[in-house]
């Protein structure tokens, strides 16, 4: 079977859109592609019932073998499976890329590669300074908020995070980075939502929920509109106004 121009276009788009942008040629009726940022090759074809997809990554194959029907006549070294829809073909190509980046031993390889990238003396000093600053900032917030979340009152230290209102990287001085009024001591789930501008607080300390935070996620997190800061002062509110503006830009409700 010879692939038509239309079929090749569908297969190439499924590959390129999901990180397999390096064309490795043809093997029979299979198009072969290499990922530019994952240790895997992808093969794609058209069958009489739909499409075929495969990879030479053994770890990915072990995962997909549990979910998909195998396909015969694969290129040498590839595991292949059948699918009927082009949409599913593209989704599977994305799954191959994602799994290839996350399965052993790719994380170890990425770790070793990054370790080999020796930082400059300036970068080492910057990281050291930031680490010390973050430690001091957390200690300060723990004292200021009496060791409890500014909203929920949760007090287990391992569940608490020192949240910057104006981010560390956006502060114009170390004094501002370490200013207790530029932070909130929050339970971990609130810290994550606050940092992502999914929640903020108004001038009275009442919580605000971004429209980007779905009702179901808010319920699952235990985040309700009745929540508020246990205390708020003018200096904290001044900085919250900056945070709130960014959150409101996300179409708050």
């Amino acid at each position: 079977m010879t692939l038509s121009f239309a079929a090749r276009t569908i297969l190439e788009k499924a590959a390129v859109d999901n990180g397999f942008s390096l064309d490795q040629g043809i093997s029979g009726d299979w198009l072969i592609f290499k990922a530019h940022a994952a240790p895997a090759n992808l093969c794609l074809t058209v069958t009489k019932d739909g499409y075929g997809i495969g990879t030479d990554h053994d770890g990915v194959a072990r995962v997909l073998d549990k979910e998909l029907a195998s396909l015969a006549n694969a290129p040498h070294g590839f595991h292949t499976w059948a699918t009927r829809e082009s949409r599913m073909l593209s989704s599977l190509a994305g799954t191959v890329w994602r799994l290839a980046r996350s399965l052993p031993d790719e994380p170890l390889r990425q770790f070793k590669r990054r370790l080999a990238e020796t930082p400059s003396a300036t970068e080492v000093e910057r990281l050291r300074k930031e680490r010390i600053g973050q430690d001091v900032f957390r200690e300060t917030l723990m004292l200021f908020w009496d060791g409890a979340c500014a909203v929920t009152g949760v007090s287990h230290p391992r569940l608490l995070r020192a949240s910057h209102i104006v981010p560390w990287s956006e502060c114009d001085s170390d004094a501002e980075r370490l200013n207790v009024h530029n932070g909130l001591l929050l339970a971990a789930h609130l810290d994550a939502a606050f940092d992502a501008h999914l929640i903020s607080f108004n001038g009275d300390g009442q919580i605000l929920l971004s429209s980007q935070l779905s009702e179901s996620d808010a319920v699952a997190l235990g985040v309700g509109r009745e929540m508020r800061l246990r205390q708020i002062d003018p200096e904290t509110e001044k900085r919250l106004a900056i945070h709130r503006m960014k959150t409101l830009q996300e179409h708050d409700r």
Side-chain angles (χ1 to χ4, degrees):
M1 178 179 67
T2 302
L3 294 174
S4 67
F5 175 78
R8 288 182 64 102
T9 300
I10 291 172
L11 300 180
E12 289 171 355
K13 178 173 174 53
V16 173
D17 286 355
N18 291 285
F20 293 89
S21 59
L22 305 176
D23 189 338
Q24 301 296 289
I26 302 175
S27 176
D29 289 320
W30 292 84
L31 303 186
I32 313 295
F33 301 90
K34 182 178 178 62
H36 61 270
N41 289 309
L42 184 77
C43 66
L44 301 171
T45 194
V46 173
T47 69
K48 61 183 180 65
D49 296 318
Y51 300 92
I53 183 170
T55 182
D56 59 351
H57 192 295
D58 292 337
V60 174
R62 282 192 292 273
V63 174
L64 295 184
D65 276 340
K66 300 175 184 177
E67 305 173 7
L68 303 172
S70 296
L71 197 61
N73 302 319
H76 179 69
F78 281 79
H79 308 266
T80 56
W81 309 275
T83 182
R84 291 184 177 276
E85 301 178 7
S86 61
R87 182 175 58 182
M88 186 62 177
L89 181 76
S90 182
S91 176
L92 284 171
T95 298
V96 171
W97 188 92
R98 175 177 57 81
L99 291 175
R101 280 297 303 268
S102 60
L103 288 170
D105 293 311
E106 180 60 10
L108 178 61
R109 191 182 72 82
Q110 291 288 337
F111 175 69
K112 290 180 177 178
R113 180 182 65 78
R114 295 183 189 184
L115 281 182
E117 297 172 353
T118 305
S120 65
T122 301
E123 179 67 6
V124 170
E125 179 56 27
R126 184 191 69 77
L127 292 173
R128 174 179 172 275
K129 178 180 175 181
E130 182 171 335
R131 184 174 62 253
I132 293 172
Q134 295 283 10
D135 288 345
V136 170
F137 185 65
R138 175 181 170 81
E139 291 165 7
T140 303
L141 284 178
M142 289 289 286
L143 291 170
F144 184 79
W145 288 98
D146 196 23
C149 172
V151 177
T152 65
V154 167
S155 60
H156 195 299
R158 293 186 180 180
L159 298 177
L160 298 173
R161 302 290 183 269
S163 294
H164 272 89
I165 300 173
V166 178
W168 178 280
S169 61
E170 296 178 18
C171 293
D172 56 13
S173 68
D174 288 339
E176 179 62 12
R177 293 184 179 100
L178 300 174
N179 191 323
V180 72
H181 297 299
N182 187 32
L184 297 172
L185 189 67
L186 295 175
H189 67 304
L190 294 179
D191 167 65
F194 186 77
D195 188 56
H197 290 280
L198 294 175
I199 64 170
S200 192
F201 299 92
N202 68 17
D204 295 324
Q206 189 75 30
I207 198 169
L208 299 172
L209 308 185
S210 166
S211 60
Q212 302 301 306
L213 180 64
S214 69
E215 291 288 350
S216 59
D217 282 346
V219 170
L221 283 171
V223 175
R225 292 183 177 83
E226 75 285 354
M227 287 180 159
R228 62 186 312 115
L229 294 172
R230 292 190 284 117
Q231 65 185 51
I232 189 168
D233 60 74
E235 284 298 306
T236 301
E237 159 54 15
K238 180 171 67 175
R239 293 164 176 85
L240 278 173
I242 298 172
H243 184 276
R244 192 162 58 241
M245 185 180 301
K246 291 185 178 181
T247 306
L248 289 171
Q249 290 171 352
E250 300 284 340
H251 308 294
D252 291 335
R253 59 177 183 268

